[in-house]
Amino acid sequence: MGILVALISAALCALLYVRMVRRETPEPMLKKKATTPVIVGLFAPILATLLTLGIGFAVKGLTGGRSLSDLIGNLVASSLVRSFLTAGLTEELVKLLLFLLLVKRLDPKNVYEYAVLVGGIGFGFTVLEEISYGGGSPIAA
């Protein structure tokens, strides 16, 4: 079922992205310049996982093997910090760094190209995320 979810999300993302690229004025982006962000976005979940593992090992190393719940003490607060570190912070930080790398590399001409770059990274991230998380979802089973 996860593959079906990934295919549907890939088709929807591709449809939206192709429309975004075609609507650019005065002329559409080159295919290479339009597909590069999507390919780079496919690596974002992998890099986010590696960054999360790095942060986890750093916390364990700096605190002498203690966990966040031991350090914070409050179960709710430690749960919020853990969720923020493992989901929100690392994913968004990796996407931001990849976007800045692409801006430096591709040199967008106008604001619309910036939006296409961000959209491409987000779409690539979404497709790989659906493949990795879609199969384990209790709703999809």
Side-chain angles (χ1 to χ4, degrees):
M1 193 65 160
I3 303 221
L4 181 62
V5 170
L7 287 175
I8 291 171
S9 92
L12 289 175
C13 286
L15 178 74
L16 289 172
Y17 194 64
V18 167
R19 286 183 52 116
M20 282 177 68
V21 171
R22 283 187 185 156
R23 290 182 63 121
E24 185 192 6
T25 55
E27 60 195 37
M29 292 173 70
L30 298 174
K31 288 184 180 182
K32 179 183 175 187
K33 197 172 185 179
T35 56
T36 302
V38 177
I39 293 169
V40 169
L42 289 172
F43 292 105
I46 298 165
L47 295 174
T49 302
L50 293 175
L51 182 63
T52 302
L53 287 172
I55 289 172
F57 286 134
V59 167
K60 287 283 189 182
L62 292 174
T63 61
R66 296 173 58 194
S67 67
L68 283 174
S69 56
D70 293 337
L71 292 174
I72 296 175
N74 185 351
L75 186 60
V76 174
S78 69
S79 175
L80 287 173
V81 169
R82 187 180 307 116
S83 298
F84 180 70
L85 285 176
T86 58
L89 175 72
T90 56
E91 290 177 358
E92 300 305 323
L93 185 63
V94 165
K95 285 191 265 186
L96 175 67
L97 292 175
L98 289 175
F99 170 69
L100 293 175
L101 177 76
L102 282 179
V103 165
K104 181 75 173 165
R105 178 85 173 127
L106 297 178
D107 194 34
K109 297 182 301 234
N110 54 31
V111 174
Y112 195 79
E113 285 191 13
Y114 284 99
V116 170
L117 291 179
V118 171
I121 292 171
F123 291 154
F125 184 88
T126 299
V127 169
L128 193 59
E129 193 175 43
E130 289 298 326
I131 291 171
S132 60
Y133 297 132
S137 172
I139 297 171

